[in-house]
Amino acid sequence: MGTKLIIDTDPGVDDAFAIALAAVSADVELLGVTTVFGNVPLTSTTANARRLLQLCDRPDVPVAAGAARPLVYRNPHTAGFVHGADGLSGRSETLPEATRPLENGDAVSLLVSLLEASDEPVTIAPIGPLTNIAALLAAHPGVREKIARIVIMGGGIERGNSTAAAEFNIWSDPEAARRVLTEDDVPCVLVPLDITHRCAIDRAWLAKLAASGPLGAALERLTADYTAYYSRVLGFDGMVMHDAVAVAEAISPGILRTEPYPVNVDCGAGPARGMTVVDRRKLARDDPEASPGRTVEVAVDTDLDALRQFVLDRLSGGHR
């Protein structure tokens, strides 16, 4: 079947694109989806994930709800002003009702059962706050050997978005992010804002998606509030599909070029809270012991046109 994948998510418009990308790709075995608070509250992210899987005709994929708040400090705000109050530009109810019931267990329970049942290592793509994944690694260390990679959308090298220093997913639960990014023996790839912003798509790309068929048209209809926000950020009529960039790497390892850097997370109470500290000093790269962070693969570049076409082709039905 190809890549065995679990997505941990807080849909979110870009999460919707990411879930659909995995759900319709023939070379992906989407084992499950777990949800977390983030862009909107947990009840909405969970409902959105279930409806999106139904849209993709994937009622076979189990969904379990996870953390409704960060590990330590309550999150100051969600991102409804970016994604719309329901997370999907006010259009969530235009999606089909899910036919598969929500799993009785929580997100960590589902993650454990799916990992333990797999006959080969599984890629996990956390594309929201890392609370569920931190809880998994802390409470169930025995599953580490079943994890092929954790491909994280989060952080920033030169920029933040929730604050000048911090990206939303990491800022939403810095303690969880530090727990995951400094975990020994679990390969991590960090896909930061620096690369996802470069992969932004324009109105012409969205028009091609909308014209591709029912799925593409439904996804494009979810983008109104999101593109209104990002058009101001980008300076052109378009949007950033952050999470779909990370899931593209989860599906097709190497579609993003990565470099190994020590990475840590600022968990202090000051203005740098939630900042991903990516140590690019030559000394740190030559001698990881010289830096307090754990070395992870950080996505730094890609063939931008090829990446955009990869996502468009798959969402348009080119790999089913």
Side-chain angles (χ1 to χ4, degrees):
M1 286 292 295
T3 302
K4 290 180 180 288
L5 180 64
I6 301 170
I7 294 177
D8 186 72
T9 180
D10 62 335
V13 175
D14 55 329
D15 306 73
F17 279 55
I19 291 168
L21 177 62
V24 303
S25 290
D27 54 352
V28 173
E29 187 176 353
L30 185 57
L31 300 179
V33 170
T34 53
T35 61
V36 66
F37 76 95
N39 289 317
V40 286
L42 181 67
T43 52
S44 294
T45 64
T46 303
N48 291 348
R50 296 175 65 217
R51 285 177 179 267
L52 287 161
L53 287 167
Q54 190 69 37
L55 173 69
C56 296
D57 195 25
R58 294 299 306 272
D60 57 300
V61 178
V63 177
R69 54 158 290 174
L71 292 178
V72 182
Y73 301 106
R74 288 195 177 274
N75 197 34
H77 65 73
T78 61
F81 67 99
V82 178
H83 297 265
D86 66 347
L88 298 175
S89 296
R91 301 293 182 87
S92 60
E93 292 188 358
T94 67
L95 300 178
E97 288 279 0
T99 58
R100 183 186 180 109
L102 185 67
E103 296 297 295
N104 289 325
D106 58 53
V108 173
S109 298
L110 180 61
L111 285 161
V112 171
S113 65
L114 292 173
L115 290 168
E116 290 182 339
S118 180
D119 57 359
E120 60 187 66
V122 176
T123 298
I124 301 176
I127 53 177
L130 287 160
T131 316
N132 292 336
I133 309 305
L136 170 72
L137 295 175
H140 300 276
V143 302
R144 293 176 189 171
E145 64 185 23
K146 289 297 191 80
I147 301 173
R149 297 193 300 165
I150 301 178
V151 182
I152 300 163
M153 191 280 122
I157 301 173
E158 300 287 352
R159 67 170 77 205
N161 57 5
S162 285
T163 72
E167 178 274 333
F168 179 80
N169 288 342
I170 306 299
W171 174 82
S172 292
D173 195 342
E175 286 77 15
R178 178 186 278 182
R179 181 68 172 77
V180 175
L181 284 167
T182 59
E183 182 72 33
D184 292 332
D185 303 324
V186 180
C188 281
V189 177
L190 186 68
V191 182
L193 292 176
D194 310 76
I195 186 64
T196 62
H197 269 260
R198 291 177 57 208
C199 298
I201 52 177
D202 60 16
R203 179 56 59 184
W205 191 100
L206 286 167
K208 291 177 184 177
L209 177 65
S212 68
L215 175 60
L219 289 172
E220 190 275 337
R221 283 195 296 270
L222 303 177
T223 65
D225 288 5
Y226 194 67
T227 53
Y229 173 83
Y230 268 107
S231 293
R232 297 195 301 273
V233 172
L234 297 169
F236 63 85
D237 190 9
M239 61 176 246
V240 180
M241 51 179 183
H242 303 286
D243 295 338
V245 177
V247 169
E249 170 62 28
I251 293 170
S252 182
I255 198 169
L256 305 181
R257 184 172 69 80
T258 66
E259 293 181 357
Y261 292 113
V263 176
N264 213 319
V265 178
D266 189 321
C267 294
R273 178 171 173 79
M275 179 181 181
T276 44
V277 182
V278 180
D279 194 340
R280 292 180 290 167
R281 295 174 299 162
K282 185 177 188 303
L283 174 65
R285 295 193 66 184
D286 293 345
D287 179 13
E289 296 299 321
S291 179
R294 199 240 321 193
T295 297
V296 303
E297 294 293 327
V298 179
V300 296
D301 201 6
T302 190
D303 182 327
L304 299 176
D305 290 337
L307 185 284
R308 295 183 186 108
Q309 195 63 46
F310 176 90
V311 176
L312 181 61
D313 285 347
R314 298 220 170 187
L315 295 181
S316 299
H319 204 273
R320 299 181 192 176

